[in-house]
Amino acid sequence: MPSYAKHGCIMPLLLALMIIFITKHIQYDEIMYSWSHIVVCCFLAASVAAIYFTRWPRPVYMIDFSCYKPEESCKYTREAFVERSIVLGMFTDANVQFQKKILERSGVGQSTYFPPAVATIPPDLRISEARKEGEMVMFGAVDQLLAKTGIETKAIDILIVNCSLFSPTPSLAEMILNRYKLREDVICHNLSGMGCSAGLISVELAKQLLKVHPESYALIVSTENITLNGYYGNQRSMLVTNCLFRIGGAAILLSNHRSDAHRAKYVLSDLIRTHKGSDDASYSCVTQEEDDEGKVGVSLSKDLMTVAGDALKANITTLGPRVLPISEQLRFLLSLIERKLLKRRGSKPYVPDFKKAFEHFCIHAGGRAILDELEKNLGLDEWHLEPSRMTLYRFGNTSSSSLWYELGYTEAKRRVKKGDRIWQIGFGSGFKCNSLVWRALKDVEPEEKYPWMDVIDEFPVHVPKIATINL
């Protein structure tokens, strides 16, 4: 149960007990009707009410969110990607074929996007071009969000931007602050190096700030910048990211105004962060580094899937008791007793049925392999993984913003009903696994501004295990 719900139960009870105590011990004679005693009683009641309203944490509402959809000119097919790899002349023939093989099995479709500076031959790898990509994505997402919510930029109290691999000076957050002329006293944070789960970390930071800043709005912008972060060498552990990562970004508006409950889409129900960085294998499984020729790329360890599985296990071990029904918790406990205390060899641990806790799942679309593993290990079916698989197919791995494209898909399909619970799961370098749980406050109807709306009737599509590239 969220902390504000607990306080919401306890504080009215204390107020009621105080009133009962006062009325029980007051003797209604002429003395007790004196003004002094009336003032004392009013003061006690007001004190309890004040404690109730100050100690009860305010709910965190998600008013709305938006996802950036690039121009059609930025679209890049799988064939175009392989042709570019050949024409650039930077990769050996074997590594061109290696990237082709990865792309064929990646689950990435024919309509993903690259920034213009990367799509040109040769690529225009300058900081100015990376800034243009950042402006294009961030401003596009924020413009759309402001139009959807109608909020004035002067009303924004907190600004948080996350982008893992591009951290210029002035920062990306300051680019937004300058563009939209936010107030001078706005609380501004710029997160970098946090990996693909940074979007959920931004929500957690916003939640903590909203705890101590009542009646506030928090704007979160979640993106990645790939103009300067492609890899143009021949170390295979660094080539995989070339095949998966694409341009994308999202903007999210949070509020702790209680008056926003009627117009908000969701309320934050739970948030669990798991960080395995103290373990050496976890820490080094995703690293930005130089190869033997001094070319910079992001290297993925062969242990990545194992590390991700361990992080997920630790995360859901904490999350499970907070969200699962008692029946599932008891079955898990009996399974644990059977394996540990009775020492029955060969008995498999019971995996709780999270479909009984959540109606919708948004799992980071990092790649096909990780989605396959989670579908199997969590006992999910194709319908639950559909938003993640279709996001990977349509937009590629957009890093920290992928979870919002997935939620956008779910909404565009008109699946979100009042009371539904949505589980967002993000993975990131370090290694981190983070979970967010949202509860829908109303039936969500899709809008024209969704990035999915022009193609939603075409989805879901069949994604073959191997999509052959005929080159």
Side-chain angles (χ1 to χ4, degrees), residues 78 97-109 240 243-244 366-372 389 392 463-469:
R78 292 187 294 258
Q97 293 303 312
F98 174 75
Q99 291 183 86
K100 177 183 174 183
K101 182 178 179 180
I102 293 293
L103 192 56
E104 288 177 333
R105 293 161 173 77
S106 66
V108 174
V240 176
C243 305
L244 299 175
R368 185 173 202 149
I370 196 165
L371 295 180
D372 288 347
R389 293 194 188 281
L392 181 62
V463 182
K465 294 291 184 182
I466 300 177
T468 304
I469 300 173

Side-chain angles (χ1 to χ4, degrees), residues 430-449:
F431 191 84
K432 298 178 285 292
C433 177
N434 301 320
S435 289
L436 278 185
V437 180
W438 301 97
R439 179 170 55 83
L441 296 174
K442 57 186 175 182
D443 293 355
V444 177
E445 291 296 325
E447 305 167 357
E448 290 299 321
K449 294 184 175 65

Side-chain angles (χ1 to χ4, degrees), residues 57-189:
R58 292 170 175 267
V60 175
Y61 298 111
M62 186 207 302
I63 305 299
D64 213 331
F65 68 96
S66 64
C67 298
Y68 175 69
K69 182 180 179 183
E71 299 292 334
E72 291 296 297
S73 59
C74 295
K75 273 188 179 179
Y76 228 65
T77 65
R78 292 187 294 258
E79 287 76 15
F81 177 90
V82 177
E83 288 175 349
R84 173 180 174 273
S85 298
I86 296 171
V87 173
L88 284 176
M90 299 177 178
F91 308 108
T92 64
D93 291 343
N95 279 336
V96 169
Q97 293 303 312
F98 174 75
Q99 291 183 86
K100 177 183 174 183
K101 182 178 179 180
I102 293 293
L103 192 56
E104 288 177 333
R105 293 161 173 77
S106 66
V108 174
Q110 292 285 63
S111 300
T112 58
Y113 302 93
F114 276 108
V118 172
T120 59
I121 298 175
D124 191 356
L125 306 180
R126 293 179 294 163
I127 289 180
S128 60
E129 291 299 321
R131 279 186 168 277
K132 287 179 182 178
E133 178 192 344
E135 292 172 353
M136 177 175 66
V137 175
M138 296 190 303
F139 297 167
V142 173
D143 285 347
Q144 188 181 110
L145 181 65
L146 295 177
K148 289 171 72 173
T149 61
I151 188 173
E152 298 290 335
T153 56
K154 295 297 183 182
I156 295 171
D157 305 282
I158 300 165
L159 172 64
I160 302 171
V161 178
N162 67 265
C163 181
S164 189
L165 294 174
F166 182 54
S167 184
T169 300
S171 70
L172 298 178
E174 286 159 345
M175 288 167 60
I176 293 175
L177 193 151
N178 177 262
R179 162 67 183 267
Y180 296 99
K181 307 304 178 187
L182 303 185
R183 302 196 318 263
E184 292 182 357
D185 63 344
V186 67
I187 300 168
C188 186
H189 292 277

Side-chain angles (χ1 to χ4, degrees), residues 255-270:
S255 167
N256 62 3
H257 293 258
R258 289 198 175 96
S259 59
D260 281 328
H262 72 284
R263 69 168 182 146
K265 284 186 174 181
Y266 305 97
V267 63
L268 183 61
S269 178
D270 230 317

